[in-house]
Amino acid sequence: MNLSASFGSGDILLWMLELFLFIIWFWLLIAIFGDLFRDPDTGGGAKALWVVLLVILPFLGILLYLIVRGKGMGARQAAQMQAAQSAFDDRIRTATASSSPTDQVAQAKALLDSGAIDQTEFAKLKATALGS
């Protein structure tokens, strides 16, 4: 069978549609399993029932999951993204919160006064803080 005969009857278009629908179905399964196993409020028995439903009747299972738990699915994803953004912001703040040279010299002076370091170490810390 040559390609033009196959293309003329719409087989290639139908194959592309089937491939597209398979990719969407597979992506939905991955998204649903990810949401299901990340949800701390759902118990193990309920998770097992959803898994059985999704494996035995995948199309019906996907539709039921999206109808029953779809709104919570979006809320959980938004909360997870917000928590990740907050953790990232805290990490950036911690990394960029370097103390000023004055603070570093004051901390070194406090160490010198407490006897934790001697005068030469204080001078070295002071020179490092002042960049000289």
Side-chain angles (χ1 to χ4, degrees), residues 46-104:
K47 288 179 184 181
L49 289 175
W50 277 113
V51 167
V52 168
L53 181 64
L54 287 166
V55 169
I56 301 295
L57 301 168
F59 294 111
L60 182 64
I62 286 173
L63 288 175
L64 285 175
Y65 191 89
L66 292 176
I67 290 168
V68 173
R69 297 177 47 96
K71 187 175 183 180
M73 194 174 174
R76 284 186 293 277
Q77 181 68 20
Q80 182 183 7
M81 294 298 283
Q82 182 64 35
Q85 184 66 43
S86 296
F88 178 74
D89 291 344
D90 291 343
R91 195 171 296 133
I92 294 296
R93 274 192 218 95
T94 302
T96 59
S98 61
S99 58
S100 67
T102 307
D103 293 337
Q104 291 176 0

